[in-house]
């Protein structure tokens, strides 16, 4: 039976379009030449200005790159036998090469496309410019007060903050809110090597440098107890210049105000954990305006500064992350989640399943060994208090890590579901907690939303972020969450429906009333 060439080529076109990643953009395909016609086909390709990526002489074939508008033209090449997608391949070594931080989906950053035109200024301890997971193009900087060069970060805090905003989606490490190199950044270093002290005058100078660099958003993961006239004057000046400012609410876990977050011209950001619970360390005050993820935030740190293996739990929309058990193997397993209590006795036949075990009564290694003896493939230890848990077990072929009490209770409500756990090692990414980590989530979302509506003022964006926040805690405004957890997609939708008009008068912080 003869197969019509046009039928084969039509099938090849349909196959190419069946790959979503290839159908909407430039695609790479393989062409097989008719017998002994490779040279003639090559001439046809060159005369049609089609880019040859790879020539496979012994197979009389070529890998080429074209956009989808050129795809039909390939059928007109007289020496083509057939063609098909040049499908991608990647390394299959065990262990995750990239973690997607839980905060990105919580603030809806994965639902909005950045449209350009914004610049975020990060005032902090510097930026590890050589980091393989951070952009270098489009990043400028300066140091204020002799703290050191902006493109180094011996303390690591500023690099972690910046990574939440701009870490690159490159199948390595992590990703930021804008992950494609396209967001411009300006870094002002105000903290020296140990990251201990800077002063209000340093911050006032840094704020001016941010403005001079053309920044539209200023991110400040820093603060202190007392207000300062020079600091407030600098902030009010740039607020009048239509610049949006965001700062950490403070980590004292009390109702006092921290500055610069508590000035009216600044968005004060509280922290929540992976289950949207208010972080115990996060300030509660009348100036809190928005909340964002700030507990166990996985992001970039200077190269060779991380010390532990990383643990990740995913299940439906769940994404919990912290350190793996010391002694766990690296890799990924997936299985049904089962409750094995305290792990002090057999859980029955749990072949191929993941054991959820509560901390207590016996050592961690015995809990893991019991699950393994029952046929399990992985262990999640749920803590019996809200503190973090870094446990040690005997070296094992099992994958094991821990979650907090709240995360464990969440998983207890989702027993029986398919669950994936991963332990991987990174030397230049790590976890940090604090309102410092919550702040860049809001700064990044502000830039993301503003890029979609550049006609809006800074106050218009600020009001839209308030109005569209995910309300948590007490209904409406409260001193723990402010207006709620910042939401990128909801803010974009809110502006689309309501616009972003705002008064030119001073916009007060917190709930907007005088304090």
């Amino acid at each position: 039976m003869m197969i019509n060439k046009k039928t084969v080529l039509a099938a090849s076109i349909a196959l190419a379009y069946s790959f979503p990643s290839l159908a909407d953009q430039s695609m790479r395909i393989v062409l097989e030449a008719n017998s002994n016609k490779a040279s003639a086909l090559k001439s046809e390709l060159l005369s049609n200005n089609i880019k040859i990526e790879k020539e496979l002489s012994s197979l009389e074939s070529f890998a080429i790159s074209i956009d989808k508008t050129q795809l039909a033209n390939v059928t007109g090449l007289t020496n083509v036998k057939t063609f098909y997608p040049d499908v991608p391949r990647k390394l299959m070594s065990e262990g995750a090469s990239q973690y997607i931080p839980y905060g990105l989906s919580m603030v809806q950053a994965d639902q909005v496309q950045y449209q350009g035109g914004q610049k975020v200024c990060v005032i902090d301890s510097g930026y590890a410019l050589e980091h393989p997971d951070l952009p270098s193009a489009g990043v400028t900087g300066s140091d204020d007060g002799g703290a050191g060069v902006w493109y180094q970060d011996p303390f690591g805090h500023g690099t972690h903050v910046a990574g939440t905003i701009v870490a690159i989606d490159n199948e390595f490490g992590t990703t930021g809110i804008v992950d494609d190199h396209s967001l411009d950044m300006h870094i002002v270093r105000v903290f020296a090597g140990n990251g201990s002290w800077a002063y209000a005058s340093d911050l006032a100078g840094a704020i001016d440098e941010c403005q001079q660099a053309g920044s539209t958003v200023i991110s400040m993961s820093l603060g202190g107890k007392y207000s300062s006239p020079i600091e407030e004057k600098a902030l009010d000046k740039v607020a009048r210049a239509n610049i949006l400012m965001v700062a950490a609410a403070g980590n004292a876990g009390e109702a006092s105000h921290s500055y610069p977050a508590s000035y009216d011209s600044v968005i004060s950001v509280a922290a929540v954990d992976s289950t949207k619970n208010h972080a115990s360390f996060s300030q509660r005050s009348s100036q809190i305006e928005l909340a964002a993820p700030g507990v166990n935030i996985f992001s970039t740190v200077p190269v060779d500064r991380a010390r532990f293996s990383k643990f990740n739990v995913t299940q439906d929309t769940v994404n919990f992350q912290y350190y793996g058990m010391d002694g766990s193997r690296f890799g990924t397993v997936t299985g049904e989640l089962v409750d094995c209590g305290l792990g002090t006795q057999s859980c029955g036949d749990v072949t191929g399943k993941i054991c959820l075990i509560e901390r207590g009564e016996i050592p961690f290694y015995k809990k893991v060994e019991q699950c393994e003896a029952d046929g399990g493939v992985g262990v999640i230890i749920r803590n019996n208090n809200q503190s973090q848990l870094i446990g040690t077990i005997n070296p094992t072929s099992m994958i094991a890590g821990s979650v907090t009490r709240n995360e464990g209770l969440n998983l207890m409500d989702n027993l029986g579901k398919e669950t994936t756990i991963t332990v991987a090692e990174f030397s230049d990414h790590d976890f940090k907690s604090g309102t410092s980590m919550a702040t860049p989530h809001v700064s990044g979302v502000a830039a993301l939303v503003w890029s979609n509506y550049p006609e809006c003022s800074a106050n218009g964006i600020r009001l839209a972020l308030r109005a569209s926040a995910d309300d948590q805690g007490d209904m409406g405004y409260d001193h723990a969450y402010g207006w709620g957890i910042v939401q990128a997609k909801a803010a974009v939708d809110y502006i689309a429906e309501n616009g972003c008009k705002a008064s030119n008068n001073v916009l007060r912080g917190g709930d907007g009333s005088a304090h």
Side-chain angles (χ1 to χ4, degrees):
M1 173 178 158
M2 293 185 62
I3 300 177
N4 185 281
K5 176 182 175 181
K6 289 185 177 180
T7 300
V8 173
L9 292 175
S12 298
I13 292 173
L15 178 61
Y17 277 110
S18 72
F19 285 77
S21 62
L22 302 179
D24 296 324
Q25 57 191 20
S26 175
M27 65 184 73
R28 182 160 160 154
I29 62 177
V30 174
L31 302 181
E32 291 186 15
N34 291 323
S35 182
N36 299 318
K37 293 295 183 179
S39 179
L41 177 56
K42 182 176 181 180
S43 296
E44 284 188 284
L45 293 172
L46 294 175
S47 65
N48 281 277
N49 295 318
I50 294 176
K51 184 179 180 181
I52 298 174
E53 299 286 358
K54 191 174 188 66
E55 183 175 353
L56 303 165
S57 300
S58 63
L59 299 173
E60 296 188 300
S61 299
F62 301 89
I64 65 171
S65 289
I66 58 174
D67 63 50
K68 69 176 186 177
T69 63
Q70 296 174 295
L71 187 58
N73 295 337
V74 174
T75 63
L77 300 177
T78 57
N79 293 292
V80 175
K81 178 182 178 181
T82 188
F83 70 93
Y84 38 82
D86 194 5
V87 292
R89 297 289 182 260
K90 62 181 180 180
L91 294 172
M92 288 295 184
S93 56
E94 283 198 321
S97 58
Q98 186 178 60
Y99 276 2
I100 307 300
Y102 75 85
L104 296 193
S105 59
M106 187 182 291
V107 302
Q108 300 180 332
D110 54 348
Q111 299 182 45
V112 178
Q113 182 67 40
Y114 178 67
Q115 302 298 331
Q118 303 297 311
K119 178 181 282 189
V120 176
C121 185
V122 175
I123 302 174
D124 214 291
S125 63
Y127 181 87
L129 190 65
E130 81 288 353
H131 199 290
D133 207 17
L134 290 174
S136 55
V139 182
T140 58
S142 56
D143 70 284
D144 186 77
V149 294
W150 67 269
Y151 50 83
Q152 295 177 359
D153 182 15
F155 186 52
H157 187 275
T159 299
H160 195 279
V161 166
T164 294
I165 302 172
V166 293
I168 303 163
D169 185 4
N170 54 4
E171 297 189 357
F172 167 77
T174 188
T175 61
I177 288 172
V178 180
D179 59 15
D180 62 357
H181 301 262
S182 61
L183 177 64
D184 290 337
M185 296 273 286
H186 187 75
I187 309 298
V188 185
R189 180 174 171 183
V190 295
F191 291 97
N194 62 5
S196 57
W197 291 105
Y199 292 89
S201 59
D202 296 326
L203 189 58
I207 291 163
D208 183 64
E209 290 182 27
C210 291
Q211 181 180 5
Q212 296 306 316
S215 305
T216 54
V217 178
I218 299 177
S219 187
M220 299 170 284
S221 291
L222 47 83
K225 288 184 177 181
Y226 306 108
S227 63
S228 161
I230 187 64
E231 186 178 68
E232 186 171 18
K233 183 177 181 180
L235 290 162
D236 289 345
K237 174 178 175 287
V238 296
R240 290 192 296 270
N242 199 38
I243 297 172
L244 188 63
M245 290 165 291
V246 186
N251 298 335
E254 58 186 25
S256 63
H257 291 125
S258 179
Y259 297 90
S262 294
Y263 297 122
D264 281 329
S265 58
V266 180
I267 297 174
S268 179
V269 183
V272 300
D273 65 15
S274 57
T275 60
K276 298 185 178 181
N277 282 296
H278 183 264
S280 60
F281 57 76
S282 184
Q283 299 292 87
R284 295 171 169 82
S285 82
S286 59
Q287 286 294 94
I288 300 296
E289 194 157 327
L290 292 169
V295 179
N296 298 342
I297 302 303
F298 186 68
S299 187
T300 48
V301 295
V303 176
D304 294 327
R305 290 288 296 275
R307 296 174 295 170
F308 300 99
S309 59
K310 311 302 185 292
F311 182 59
N312 190 78
V313 181
T314 55
Q315 182 192 77
D316 295 336
T317 58
V318 164
N319 186 1
F320 298 147
Q321 300 166 344
Y322 201 52
Y323 297 119
M325 289 280 179
D326 185 12
S328 168
R329 78 169 175 90
F330 297 138
T332 298
V333 292
T334 298
E336 179 187 335
L337 185 66
V338 295
D339 177 23
C340 291
L342 287 164
T344 54
Q345 56 188 5
S346 174
C347 198
D349 182 6
V350 294
T351 301
K353 298 179 181 180
I354 294 172
C355 304
L356 180 62
I357 304 177
E358 186 178 3
R359 178 184 186 179
E361 294 196 14
I362 61 174
F364 299 130
Y365 78 89
K366 289 189 175 181
K367 297 174 185 286
V368 174
E369 290 176 353
Q370 182 62 64
C371 178
E372 185 175 25
D374 291 338
V377 293
V379 172
I380 303 171
I381 302 292
R382 58 186 185 95
N383 208 351
N384 51 18
N385 61 60
Q386 200 47 36
S387 65
Q388 298 304 322
L389 171 62
I390 304 175
T392 299
I393 57 177
N394 294 332
T396 177
S397 61
M398 299 277 278
I399 293 177
S402 63
V403 296
T404 66
R405 178 179 181 274
N406 285 344
E407 291 168 342
L409 293 174
N410 182 287
L411 292 173
M412 286 291 289
D413 290 335
N414 289 280
L415 296 172
K417 291 187 176 181
E418 182 176 87
T419 305
T420 298
I421 60 175
T422 299
V423 172
E425 186 173 33
F426 295 95
S427 63
D428 40 22
H429 296 74
D430 210 344
F431 297 96
K432 289 184 184 293
S433 296
T435 53
S436 279
M437 286 57 253
T439 299
H441 283 90
V442 174
S443 303
V445 166
L448 192 62
V449 173
W450 209 350
S451 76
N452 283 267
Y453 293 98
E455 69 276 13
C456 293
S457 67
N459 280 350
I461 295 297
R462 185 175 176 182
L463 288 172
L465 295 180
R466 290 183 185 180
S468 59
D470 177 15
D471 189 17
Q472 298 289 322
D474 296 340
M475 185 174 294
Y477 180 85
D478 64 71
H479 292 179
Y481 294 88
W483 293 100
I485 299 171
V486 69
Q487 304 285 280
K489 180 63 164 57
V492 167
D493 292 345
Y494 175 86
I495 296 172
E497 183 174 348
N498 301 285
C500 56
K501 292 181 180 179
S503 170
N504 291 326
N505 296 327
V506 172
L507 183 61
R508 297 189 183 278
D511 67 357
S513 62
H515 297 286

